[in-house]
Amino acid sequence: MSQPLLEVQQVFKNFGGFAALSGVNIYVNPGERLGLIGPNGSGKTTMINCISGLLTPEKGKIIFEGNDITQMTPHHRARAGIMRTFQIPKPFNSMTVVENLCIPLEYAAEHKTSLSVAEEEARKILTLIGIEALGDLKPTGLTQVDMRKMELARSLAGRPKLLILDEVMAGLSGSEVDEILEILFKLNEQGITIIMIEHVMRAVLGFSKRISVLNTGLNIAEGTPDEILNNPEVEKVYLGE
Amino acid sequence: MVSIDLLLNAVVAGILIGGFYAAVSLGISVVFGLLDIANIAHPLFVITGSYFTFYLNSNFGLDPILVGLILMPLFFVIGNIVYQSYYHFFEKQGAEPLRGLVFFFGVLFLIEVSIIITFGVDYQLVEAAYLGESLNLGIVNVSYRLFIPFLVGVLLTTGLHFFFAKTFYGRAIMGVSQDSLALSLMGADPVRIKSVAFGIGIATASMAGALLVMILPIEPALGREYIGRVFAVAVLGGLGSVKGALFAAIILGIAESLTATYFGAAWSSGVSFGFLLLVLAVRPAGLFGR
């Protein structure tokens, strides 16, 4: 089997006396679609903060493309090809949507061209996501679903090899979820590896090839969506005994 | 009966001095407004620029504006070094802003004492052929001593405004002011971006210093008089807004000039701060707040 794109090995992270992650292992293969689920407080967000570099684990290793990135700064990880979205989109409000996209284009993707070429590139990405009409607006006026799409577009502008989605579906309607899913399948076909953290079960079960389940900072199950649905351990965590 | 001549001349002088105030305050608009670093030593960097200008002008006869321009890269590097040390000793450790303020107080006194040791406490002034001349526009008399600093101040502000709006670096600086974590996830190094921004802030001080010594004779403690004024301009204009700083500086200049003309110079700083309080009561974000 080929080497995984990302490998999280025995990662521990504490906040004071609270153990958020107690030896978590996760891997994702190139081109794969991995779902990461678990009840609130299970350590999913802490996990992706460790992967994107916002947090440094106390113990354990994070390997990306065969390199140990555990101590690497967030901006170097972004340049290496790890991009993420946030549960609550965090656009730069003083800039238009296109201008927001130019920042990762210039820095994460190291696009190094003139501003006008970058803006053109940004518009292509907006077209891919289907929000080309919003390019010249400020993010403050956008609807929830458009804001999510913009957040997605901005991550794409960093030319990721690995895209981590932190609850992009939260608060969206059924048809909006389908819309985003369609975009994500398209991106995956283009070769982008995706990790999806999601509470909307329909989305994560329909999208993922493989799902990893966390609870109280530990791996409790892993398998195909069908296997996860029929796993008594997972059922216990979500529904109680 | 109010004399139109007197009023017009006071307003014009206020506008002109406002352009200069903008140049002095730009550094604070960038460093305090965008990076949230209360660099109270900024006016002392301006005074340093003035003394360099005085030295090169009186010894080599260089034009003050030219000196201001030549010194900008040097001041940029100095700004970089100051920020790197501030980052290393304070920001990185997560120190409280108050401790950073103490650091800049230290920098302020260090610069002031260095100037006193090097240049003494006497008043100094620069010379250039055009400084004594003035432009007569009917009833309004425009002295070049004020008009050139105004012009340069406006140009500097406009240049910086376009830098922030139209370049990758400028936008990254705007980004770092809003969310430096998000910026780092976009692949940009926030420390480097802040370092460049701080350098730009200090680079404006060399030009502002050259303008200052063209307008008035300088002495080492003069910088302290500007501390309140520069923060007032930055806050009045709206933190982080370069355009706002220019408008605020002109408003403040006019207010000070009118007060000085009609009520005496002693009242002028009182009026400008009163004005600041009034604006903040109505519009806490300042004129062009983010």
Side-chain angles (χ1 to χ4, degrees):
Chain A
M1 203 184 91
S2 67
Q3 177 197 33
L5 180 67
L6 177 86
E7 219 181 336
V8 174
Q9 300 172 345
Q10 281 296 314
V11 162
F12 286 78
K13 179 73 200 173
N14 299 325
F15 296 109
F18 174 71
L21 299 173
S22 314
V24 173
N25 295 293
I26 287 171
Y27 72 92
V28 57
N29 289 318
E32 205 183 7
R33 301 187 299 271
L34 175 73
L36 191 58
I37 62 171
N40 284 328
S42 58
K44 303 180 301 286
T45 297
T46 306
M47 188 68 255
I48 54 167
N49 283 343
C50 286
I51 297 173
S52 58
L54 292 182
L55 294 173
T56 311
E58 271 98 43
K59 264 201 286 180
K61 270 188 188 170
I62 297 167
I63 314 280
F64 184 69
E65 292 189 306
N67 303 314
D68 186 343
I69 60 162
T70 319
Q71 301 298 330
M72 206 185 245
T73 59
H75 61 270
H76 281 112
R77 295 185 203 207
R79 286 179 207 167
I82 302 176
M83 294 297 291
R84 66 170 288 180
T85 65
F86 277 93
Q87 230 165 316
I88 298 155
K90 295 181 167 185
F92 300 122
N93 285 327
S94 75
M95 301 174 211
T96 65
V97 171
V98 162
E99 287 167 0
N100 262 281
L101 263 63
C102 284
I103 297 214
L105 271 173
E106 163 74 0
Y107 292 95
E110 300 184 73
H111 200 72
K112 303 294 175 214
T113 50
S114 71
L115 205 54
S116 58
V117 174
E119 287 186 354
E120 210 171 293
E121 197 62 27
R123 283 181 205 281
K124 279 186 201 158
I125 295 169
L126 292 179
T127 309
L128 178 77
I129 304 292
I131 49 168
E132 63 273 21
L134 307 177
D136 297 316
L137 300 181
K138 292 270 170 76
T140 36
L142 301 186
T143 60
Q144 262 303 315
V145 63
D146 286 340
M147 193 85 98
R148 305 277 168 151
K149 286 181 183 171
M150 186 208 139
E151 179 86 349
L152 196 57
R154 197 165 66 152
S155 311
L156 282 181
R159 300 282 176 238
K161 292 171 187 157
L162 174 64
L163 180 60
I164 305 172
L165 307 166
D166 190 2
E167 299 198 24
V168 277
M169 307 297 186
L172 299 187
S173 73
S175 64
E176 288 166 345
V177 167
D178 290 334
E179 225 178 296
I180 303 262
L181 275 180
E182 196 183 321
I183 296 169
L184 294 179
F185 273 115
K186 202 155 61 173
L187 297 175
N188 182 246
E189 274 166 31
Q190 293 174 2
I192 299 175
T193 308
I194 297 176
I195 299 180
M196 178 188 276
I197 286 144
E198 198 55 71
H199 278 304
V200 179
M201 280 302 152
R202 181 170 72 82
V204 74
L205 292 172
F207 181 73
S208 310
K209 270 192 206 160
R210 186 163 58 85
I211 292 179
S212 202
V213 189
L214 293 185
N215 187 33
T216 60
L218 291 163
N219 298 87
I220 57 161
E222 197 200 279
T224 63
D226 280 343
E227 285 165 1
I228 294 298
L229 271 180
N230 299 314
N231 184 315
E233 187 82 10
V234 175
E235 197 176 328
K236 205 165 75 184
V237 164
Y238 271 92
L239 301 174
E241 293 190 54
Chain B
M1 161 85 195
V2 177
S3 139
I4 295 292
D5 288 28
L6 193 63
L7 180 68
L8 258 180
N9 274 295
V11 169
V12 168
I15 294 173
L16 296 183
I17 204 85
F20 158 70
Y21 284 168
V24 182
S25 311
L26 277 180
I28 289 293
S29 262
V30 174
V31 168
F32 182 57
L34 292 174
L35 308 183
D36 288 332
I37 301 171
N39 174 19
I40 49 167
H42 187 76
L44 264 296
F45 285 102
V46 174
I47 301 289
T48 309
S50 300
Y51 273 96
F52 274 129
T53 309
F54 156 72
Y55 179 80
L56 292 172
N57 175 267
S58 56
N59 287 293
F60 304 100
L62 292 181
D63 182 84
I65 301 289
L66 184 67
V67 176
L69 213 57
I70 300 172
L71 288 179
M72 282 179 115
L74 174 70
F75 273 57
F76 177 81
V77 173
I78 294 173
N80 254 290
I81 296 168
V82 172
Y83 176 73
Q84 295 288 347
S85 0
Y86 173 75
Y87 171 74
H88 194 76
F89 295 112
F90 298 93
E91 222 171 52
K92 197 168 137 193
Q93 327 276 353
E96 289 168 35
L98 196 62
R99 290 184 53 202
L101 199 64
V102 173
F103 170 77
F104 285 108
F105 244 116
V107 173
L108 184 153
F109 285 114
L110 208 66
I111 297 177
E112 197 175 304
V113 169
S114 309
I115 293 175
I116 293 173
I117 291 170
T118 318
F119 294 99
V121 292
D122 296 335
Y123 279 93
Q124 310 288 1
L125 197 60
V126 289
E127 279 159 26
Y130 52 81
L131 285 181
E133 318 245 322
S134 64
L135 198 63
N136 210 320
L137 304 167
I139 52 170
V140 179
N141 209 15
V142 178
S143 118
Y144 282 122
R145 189 179 284 284
L146 286 180
F147 182 65
I148 289 172
F150 165 80
L151 209 62
V152 175
V154 171
L155 282 176
L156 200 59
T157 316
T158 315
L160 215 52
H161 176 75
F162 281 105
F163 170 77
F164 283 127
K166 298 286 174 211
T167 66
F168 282 118
Y169 250 112
R171 287 181 187 172
I173 292 170
M174 297 304 286
V176 89
S177 76
Q178 291 168 50
D179 192 336
S180 72
L181 271 183
L183 186 75
S184 72
L185 292 172
M186 304 290 123
D189 179 356
V191 177
R192 198 167 140 206
I193 303 286
K194 284 187 186 179
S195 190
V196 169
F198 201 98
I200 290 172
I202 300 300
T204 64
S206 82
M207 184 53 86
L211 303 181
L212 170 66
V213 71
M214 287 168 73
I215 297 176
L216 331 150
I218 49 161
E219 49 98 10
L222 185 63
R224 297 195 209 162
E225 286 181 27
Y226 282 86
I227 295 175
R229 205 175 272 146
V230 293
F231 278 93
V233 168
V235 173
L236 184 60
L239 284 179
S241 169
V242 168
K243 188 171 60 178
L246 178 63
F247 281 96
I250 289 177
I251 290 172
L252 213 66
I254 296 173
E256 280 191 7
S257 170
L258 288 178
T259 318
T261 306
Y262 293 105
F263 303 98
W267 285 99
S268 63
S269 60
V271 165
S272 52
F273 283 102
F275 193 72
L276 173 70
L277 289 178
L278 204 70
V279 170
L280 289 185
V282 184
R283 217 184 128 71
L287 298 174
F288 295 85
R290 52 165 140 131

